[in-house]
Amino acid sequence: MKRHTYAEAAIELRVEESWLRRHIKRLPHSKKGRVVTFSDADLERIDQMFHHEPSTGPLALVPSAPAGAGAHPMAHLRPLPSRGQPVRTG
């Protein structure tokens, strides 16, 4: 098992070494005396802690509708009329 120093871990995670030092209390790591090291598993956990999936846009994961679900909850919405056309309300 490889142990990474602050500098090596920062390169692996593509962050500044100072960022690791500032957030060390919230990050998985090992400490022996004053020496802080990160295992490969620690680096993977840090990466997972700060991983975010897009919630909107073309790359967002769309949950599949459960079997037996009715119409889409926004199916009643209709597009707006073209510009210059009166908008009907009601």
Side-chain angles (χ1 to χ4, degrees):
M1 170 177 18
K2 173 133 172 65
R3 290 282 174 187
H4 302 275
T5 63
Y6 274 112
E8 294 167 340
I11 291 169
E12 284 288 319
L13 294 169
R14 297 183 181 140
V15 296
E16 296 290 328
E17 185 176 335
S18 61
W19 185 89
L20 283 175
R21 291 182 185 275
R22 278 194 321 270
H23 295 89
I24 193 62
K25 288 183 180 181
R26 293 185 286 164
L27 302 175
H29 64 282
S30 296
K31 188 172 184 181
K32 293 184 178 115
R34 300 176 90 190
V35 178
V36 173
T37 58
F38 301 89
S39 68
D40 291 327
D42 292 338
L43 297 182
E44 183 64 31
R45 285 180 54 207
I46 292 169
D47 190 45
Q48 289 174 358
M49 287 169 63
F50 294 95
H51 178 79
H52 295 279
E53 290 292 333
S55 58
T56 60
L59 298 178
L61 297 176
V62 179
S64 58
H72 191 276
M74 298 175 87
H76 67 282
L77 297 178
R78 300 287 176 246
L80 291 172
S82 300
R83 292 183 182 232
Q85 302 248 342
V87 178
R88 292 188 314 170
T89 58

